[in-house]
Amino acid sequence: MNRVYNFSAGPAMIPEEVLRQAQEEMLDWHGLGMSIMELGHRGPEFQAVLEQTEADLREVLAIPSNYHVLFVAGGASHQFSMVPLNLLSEHHKQADYLETGVWSHKAVVEAKRYGTINVAGQVITEADGIRRLPLQQELNLNPKAAYLHYTPNETVDGIEFHWVPQTGKVPLVADMTSSILSHPIQVSDYQLIYAGAQKNVGQAGITLVIVREDLVKEALAITPILYTYKAHVESKSCYNTPPTYAIYFSGLVLNWVKRQGGLKVIGERNHRKASKLYACIDQHRDFYVNKIAPDCRALMNVVFSLAREELTEEFLNQATQAGLANLRGHRAAGGCRASIYNAMPEEGVDCLVEFMKDFAQRNG
Ligand SMILES: Cc1ncc(COP(=O)(O)O)c(C=O)c1O
């Protein structure tokens, strides 16, 4: 078996020891003579897994007790609907959004179906073509907004807020799909956090929602029951059959995170990984191009293009042959992207850096 370094943006690389544990437990989970995926979701065994997974997430992220943790079937895109459907009310349908890339744009498009959306901030392109995020004082916030939604890390664009927008009394909602568990955060800075699992939490099919208790209220009347946070809270994520295997699998990943030493250790490692890659790009600035302002560069998704665009296919082909897979940029952005989530070992980044230096030397 030859596992490669997989730089996919998601579904993404999983720690090998987690895959092995899942493999070992596949046929006979904890001596029951059946797989975890064959267990009923209301039985005591699966309920214990669900409770432990929630407890581990609470521990890893230090989630305060006045927040609910929900495991919601579906992707982060479902939250593009659930957030406005649940946080707007019949008499108050204004919300603020920061539109800073492909994913927050999609969130805006969906929210506009339910309310009046004020785009309170966008990416700014400087005269030299460098792209940066708006500063706090450049945000055009509506103090009457029901909430402000933003995407701390734009997975496609490789641009990340390294600070938390201040909104006063307006609840802050964050789509952390590609940044969750990448470094420590202060959960109480936010009123609602959501994240699709398929990057740093586990497998596709489930989304984590961390929501402060007081935000769970009556949703807009048109909201299907399964799209209401209330139904998920009241049923403890079991209104219907939840994606049991995805929840179990998230639990394995969370245990791996704990064994690594938690988010502080993981965050430091992620900073080292990203710094090495950006340093390589900057040292070869005539060859590799990254147009994101240094203080807005993403930790998890390093985007770059080749100055001589015609070399891109050759770069990608040779990288694949060298065991460095899935470096092609998102179809909306083109170029290249190295997604270096928690499961990407530092050696994987070292190999990529060596390959990039060598490729630049051979083709420069
Ligand atoms: C920041 C962000 N938000 C939302 C999504 C959409 O997630 P899903 O495909 O799970 O709906 C993605 C997917 O990559 C993402 O990176």
Side-chain angles (χ1 to χ4, degrees):
M1 185 196 56
N2 203 9
R3 280 183 59 80
V4 298
Y5 291 121
N6 177 7
F7 293 90
S8 166
M13 201 164 172
I14 304 276
E16 191 172 318
E17 59 187 84
V18 169
L19 291 173
R20 287 191 187 282
Q21 186 180 352
Q23 184 183 39
E24 272 162 29
E25 296 181 346
M26 178 61 80
L27 295 183
D28 181 8
W29 183 79
H30 291 203
L32 286 185
M34 58 181 109
S35 168
I36 183 85
M37 70 172 81
E38 297 170 296
L39 281 174
H41 60 291
R42 302 203 190 276
E45 296 91 355
F46 179 75
Q47 283 297 313
V49 170
L50 181 61
E51 276 170 26
Q52 190 58 49
T53 307
E54 175 176 338
D56 288 337
L57 185 70
R58 285 186 180 276
E59 182 186 330
V60 166
L61 279 172
I63 301 174
S65 59
N66 61 333
Y67 284 72
H68 295 292
V69 171
L70 309 175
F71 299 91
V72 181
S77 306
H78 289 73
Q79 297 306 312
F80 296 168
S81 323
M82 285 180 78
V83 166
L85 285 168
N86 284 271
L87 303 193
L88 298 176
S89 50
E90 299 299 343
H91 304 293
H92 186 202
K93 292 191 175 172
Q94 300 172 31
D96 279 356
Y97 276 67
L98 304 187
E99 194 178 21
T100 51
V102 167
W103 291 112
S104 53
H105 171 70
K106 279 194 153 179
V108 167
V109 169
E110 180 65 9
K112 281 184 173 167
R113 303 178 65 212
Y114 312 111
T116 307
I117 303 306
N118 166 44
V119 173
Q122 284 180 305
V123 165
I124 293 155
T125 306
E126 307 282 17
D128 55 2
I130 297 297
R131 304 176 76 228
R132 68 165 177 88
L133 291 163
L135 304 171
Q136 175 74 41
Q137 61 268 30
E138 291 169 326
L139 302 181
N140 168 30
L141 298 175
N142 169 9
K144 295 211 175 90
Y147 61 90
L148 170 78
H149 176 284
Y150 85 120
T151 307
N153 181 48
E154 286 283 0
T155 323
V156 173
D157 309 75
I159 197 163
E160 180 166 7
F161 284 87
H162 295 293
W163 52 280
V164 180
Q166 299 302 303
T167 54
K169 289 198 163 59
V170 172
L172 183 60
V173 176
D175 172 1
M176 291 199 189
T177 298
S178 53
S179 51
I180 192 116
L181 305 184
S182 64
H183 59 93
I185 55 164
Q186 187 77 33
V187 171
S188 58
D189 286 345
Y190 311 86
Q191 279 67 52
L192 192 155
I193 294 169
Y194 64 87
Q198 65 270 26
K199 288 122 179 8
N200 267 340
V201 188
Q203 64 171 87
I206 195 163
T207 295
L208 304 179
V209 177
I210 302 165
V211 54
R212 210 175 65 186
E213 280 167 358
D214 55 305
L215 260 72
V216 180
K217 54 178 185 58
E218 288 308 320
L220 295 181
I222 54 163
T223 311
I225 287 184
L226 265 172
Y227 272 58
T228 66
Y229 291 131
K230 218 162 169 247
H232 292 276
V233 167
E234 285 171 358
S235 65
K236 295 191 183 307
S237 300
C238 285
Y239 183 85
N240 66 333
T241 315
T244 52
Y245 196 80
I247 292 172
Y248 151 82
F249 200 81
S250 304
L252 299 190
V253 174
L254 287 164
N255 266 292
W256 176 84
V257 168
K258 289 207 290 187
R259 290 199 299 278
Q260 300 300 298
L263 293 189
K264 188 166 177 297
V265 173
I266 286 198
E268 285 164 4
R269 187 193 300 158
N270 284 335
H271 275 101
R272 279 199 305 278
K273 282 155 49 183
S275 309
K276 285 180 183 181
L277 212 37
Y278 286 120
C280 169
I281 292 167
D282 289 344
Q283 279 155 17
H284 299 83
R285 61 179 75 241
D286 294 338
F287 198 84
Y288 298 114
V289 185
N290 170 288
K291 293 212 160 183
I292 307 295
D295 58 350
C296 303
R297 285 171 162 182
L299 194 59
M300 294 286 96
N301 311 95
V302 177
V303 295
F304 58 95
S305 55
L306 276 77
R308 282 162 56 203
E309 240 176 77
E310 68 279 9
L311 287 176
T312 308
E313 286 306 313
E314 192 53 29
F315 174 87
L316 293 170
N317 287 339
Q318 289 190 21
T320 306
Q321 281 162 23
L324 305 164
N326 294 322
L327 285 162
R328 188 182 295 281
H330 187 272
R331 62 189 185 282
C336 304
R337 170 176 54 172
S339 293
I340 49 175
Y341 299 114
N342 293 348
M344 173 60 66
E346 213 164 331
E347 304 83 71
V349 172
D350 292 340
C351 282
L352 176 58
V353 165
E354 279 315 304
F355 172 80
M356 287 172 70
K357 283 184 184 165
D358 183 55
F359 189 85
Q361 205 169 22
R362 284 187 282 115
N363 295 280

